[in-house]
Amino acid sequence: MKLGSPFRPRLLSALLFSIFLGSAPATPAQERGELRIATSYKLMTLDPQYANLNENTSLLSHIYERLVYQDDNLELKPGLATSWRPLSDTQWAFKLRDKVRFHDGSAFDADDVVYTIERIRDFLKPPSGGFRSYVSGIKSVSAPDPLTVLIETDGAVPNLPLFFSSIFVMNQPAKGFETTENLNAGHPPNGTGPYRFESWSSGESLRLARNDDYWGGKPAWSKVTFRVIENPAARVAALSTGEVDVADAIPARDVASLKERGARVASVGAARVNFVQFDVARDTLPGVTDKSGEPIANPFKNPLVRRALTLATDRGILVDKILAGYGTAAAQVFPNGLPGTSAKLLPEAPNYDEAKMLLAKAGFPDGFNLVLAGPAGRYPGDAESLQAVAQSWARIGVNAQPAAAPFSVFNTKRAAGDYGVWYGGTSGEAVDIILHTLLASPDPERGTGALNFGKYRNEAFDAMLARAESIAVGPERNAALAQATELVMADQPIIPLYHFHHIVGYGSRIGSYVLHPRGWTTAMQTLPAME
């Protein structure tokens, strides 16, 4: 079971930065025609601010750009903003890049940034407000000149530049706010990115064309086509037969066979966590019964039950067998060693005897039945992980029926409350971002708990997290985040399972593919082979 940090050295930072910002223009020998990518990511909307999901972030990053970019060490680099600085505890100034144009030819300026912030903060509402937490603390935003943005916050927000590394900047329309419905109905997305929108078929494909006027240099590919192939075996087959040039989310079990067939593989540890999450709010839960099939009171309200299930989870099987070593066992939201993580939190080996005793103490000496839901084909080893967790829990009398579904189905049902316990995953820019969205008490006004579908609440943790977020970036902030993490993990609102490794396969037309720990799949990461 691998416990070390899987992150690569800093040598690739400059390369990744230049690739993602398009500042390494293609030479004539490198220019190619169409790049074909098979992706597991099913683009759900053409609105870049509607939902904070990796599929939207990944695919729409070709069209739209951010003020700030996060490199492969999760450090901040200039994007559409060339610099930023605090003027006081509650004021920030961002200087913008000059001579940048949107795809329709209009100039990018500070008014577009003001519009972007106000659209997210004031116009988009939950559940479509997936980015709202990033701007909820902004009191006002103004543009004193075309290349300067002044932001005033309600209180100290020392991490404000990090928030902007997740927000795509939109072009300000003539009046009002652009609706998600208009964007999805065919109104062409208008960004500043290296590729222009051509067409989109929901759940099937996204077609892009090179932006020859891109400020960062001419992109390498004249056309880019993303084919949505949710089934991992089908993605592997498409790459093996040459139907596509790149395939993402390759199962670890298929790496050896792909290499035997001439494909190459790149991998990197993920800045994310996959976990089991409990509904701890409702009195009874769908799919949770006693051994005779009769409904019972919600067992997950009892921390002893949550602890018992944690002790009955064998992470070693998940990492070593299902992920074939392409993963790291988890005890918190980011791999050990990254800023804000706790060195005290280490993955535990299963202890079935202690788990049984805790269940008995909680009033379930014979265990109970449940449905363990999760997506199929979204994460490496997701369906197999459901089976493995269910087999582990069976050893303490908890009979779990795995229920895997396509992510779009799973996501809809989870939001509707159709599940009592489920397997999921999330990524983020930093530890505090995930703690803020996944484990903080749900509060639409504060923008916390957007992914806290289990409705977990812990006032002591909320206070510790708020204190940590008030501290400037540095060792003191990291220590405060680690302490908050230790507190909340002791209560087990989730069971961290693993940090999987992103694996991408690519064919002979590709010279190299540079992975990012956030798990993005883009044409900008794909360099053509030299003839």
Side-chain angles (χ1 to χ4, degrees):
M1 185 163 58
K2 297 182 180 180
L3 303 180
S5 171
F7 284 82
R8 292 182 290 185
R10 297 171 183 262
L11 296 175
L12 291 177
S13 293
L15 175 61
L16 250 174
F17 177 54
S18 66
I19 291 171
F20 267 89
L21 289 187
S23 57
T27 65
Q30 287 178 306
E31 290 184 15
R32 292 294 184 273
E34 183 180 11
L35 173 67
R36 304 159 302 167
I37 300 177
T39 182
S40 60
Y41 289 143
K42 182 179 180 180
L43 184 62
M44 302 179 74
T45 176
L46 291 177
D47 186 340
Q49 298 165 357
Y50 180 82
N52 190 7
L53 295 171
N54 231 25
E55 48 264 66
N56 296 335
T57 299
S58 180
L59 299 183
L60 293 180
S61 67
H62 296 78
I63 302 170
Y64 297 96
E65 295 182 289
R66 312 167 182 86
L67 290 179
V68 182
Y69 173 71
Q70 200 173 28
D71 71 9
D72 67 327
N73 296 300
L74 306 187
E75 295 179 353
L76 300 181
K77 303 294 182 182
L80 289 176
T82 57
S83 65
W84 50 89
R85 63 188 179 94
L87 303 178
S88 69
D89 285 346
T90 59
Q91 290 183 315
W92 286 82
F94 286 77
K95 291 294 183 180
L96 305 183
R97 194 175 297 277
D98 195 8
K99 299 179 181 178
V100 175
R101 293 195 171 273
F102 287 94
H103 296 160
D104 67 356
S106 60
F108 159 72
D109 62 23
D111 287 335
D112 299 305
V113 179
V114 173
Y115 167 77
T116 291
I117 293 171
E118 291 181 343
R119 181 176 188 264
I120 296 171
R121 186 192 63 186
D122 304 331
F123 181 67
L124 294 178
K125 303 297 182 184
S128 60
F131 294 92
R132 194 177 184 191
S133 63
Y134 299 133
V135 299
S136 60
I138 294 177
K139 183 178 180 180
S140 66
V141 55
S142 61
D145 65 64
L147 296 179
T148 303
V149 176
L150 294 181
I151 294 175
E152 183 176 356
T153 58
D154 288 322
V157 186
N159 225 19
L160 186 65
L162 176 65
F163 294 165
F164 286 119
S165 71
S166 286
I167 294 173
F168 288 124
V169 176
M170 293 181 67
N171 182 228
Q172 182 183 28
K175 64 178 182 177
F177 292 107
E178 184 72 84
T179 67
T180 300
E181 290 74 19
N182 280 347
L183 289 169
N184 289 339
H187 186 73
N190 185 29
T192 61
Y195 291 91
R196 301 170 182 266
F197 174 82
E198 281 204 336
S199 66
W200 171 56
S201 179
S202 180
E204 296 181 8
S205 65
L206 173 67
R207 298 183 186 278
L208 306 165
R210 179 168 56 201
N211 177 13
D212 290 328
D213 298 322
Y214 181 56
W215 63 265
K218 188 176 180 180
W221 305 96
S222 62
K223 300 280 187 180
V224 179
T225 297
F226 283 90
R227 288 177 52 193
V228 178
I229 304 178
E230 294 186 272
N231 182 278
R235 285 195 304 278
V236 169
L239 178 61
S240 299
T241 60
E243 293 178 37
V244 298
D245 304 301
V246 176
D248 66 14
I250 297 295
R253 63 176 179 270
D254 292 319
V255 168
S257 63
L258 271 177
K259 289 181 177 179
E260 290 174 358
R261 285 176 276 181
R264 285 170 289 172
V265 170
S267 70
V268 68
R272 62 172 305 119
V273 65
N274 284 69
F275 52 85
V276 170
Q277 189 172 34
F278 304 104
D279 185 323
V280 298
R282 290 180 286 177
D283 293 331
T284 59
L285 299 174
V288 180
T289 70
D290 62 18
K291 289 299 182 69
S292 66
E294 294 298 319
I296 58 174
N298 182 354
F300 308 129
K301 287 189 173 185
N302 191 329
L304 294 178
V305 173
R306 303 197 297 268
R307 177 61 181 160
L309 293 173
T310 300
L311 286 173
T313 302
D314 190 341
R315 297 173 176 87
I317 289 178
L318 302 177
V319 170
D320 296 333
K321 302 298 183 182
I322 294 175
L323 299 180
Y326 284 91
T328 306
Q332 52 192 314
V333 297
F334 265 10
N336 285 13
L338 286 178
T341 57
S342 170
K344 297 179 182 179
L345 294 175
L346 300 173
E348 296 177 278
N351 187 329
Y352 299 108
D353 290 336
E354 184 177 350
K356 288 179 180 178
M357 287 189 292
L358 289 174
L359 269 188
K361 187 175 180 180
F364 300 97
D366 299 322
F368 51 88
N369 298 337
L370 60 85
V371 174
L372 178 60
R378 177 169 175 81
Y379 309 113
D382 48 15
E384 297 92 335
S385 293
L386 286 181
Q387 296 284 346
V389 171
Q391 290 171 9
S392 291
W393 289 359
R395 297 184 61 170
I396 64 170
V398 175
N399 295 332
Q401 177 186 345
F407 179 72
S408 57
V409 176
F410 164 78
N411 196 39
T412 299
K413 289 189 173 184
R414 179 179 59 178
D418 290 355
Y419 304 134
V421 55
W422 55 89
Y423 162 99
T426 188
S427 63
E429 305 87 340
V431 162
D432 53 304
I433 300 296
I434 295 186
L435 295 176
H436 192 91
T437 57
L438 182 64
L439 296 173
S441 299
D443 186 337
E445 293 304 314
R446 291 180 57 233
T448 57
L451 299 180
N452 184 353
F453 296 106
K455 301 298 187 290
Y456 172 75
R457 295 182 180 274
N458 185 326
E459 292 183 0
F461 167 68
D462 290 340
M464 290 183 72
L465 179 59
R467 176 186 172 275
E469 292 179 321
S470 71
I471 302 171
V473 173
E476 184 182 354
R477 181 189 182 95
N478 293 338
L481 288 171
Q483 291 172 1
T485 300
E486 290 163 10
L487 175 74
V488 74
M489 285 295 99
D491 204 24
Q492 305 286 180
I494 64 170
I495 303 176
L497 297 177
Y498 52 75
H499 315 286
F500 66 71
H501 295 185
H502 298 296
I503 308 174
V504 168
Y506 55 97
S508 60
R509 296 180 67 237
I510 309 303
S512 64
Y513 188 93
V514 184
L515 277 160
H516 192 282
R518 293 285 302 280
W520 299 318
T521 302
T522 74
M524 294 80 80
Q525 295 163 263
T526 312
L527 301 183
M530 299 290 290
E531 290 183 351

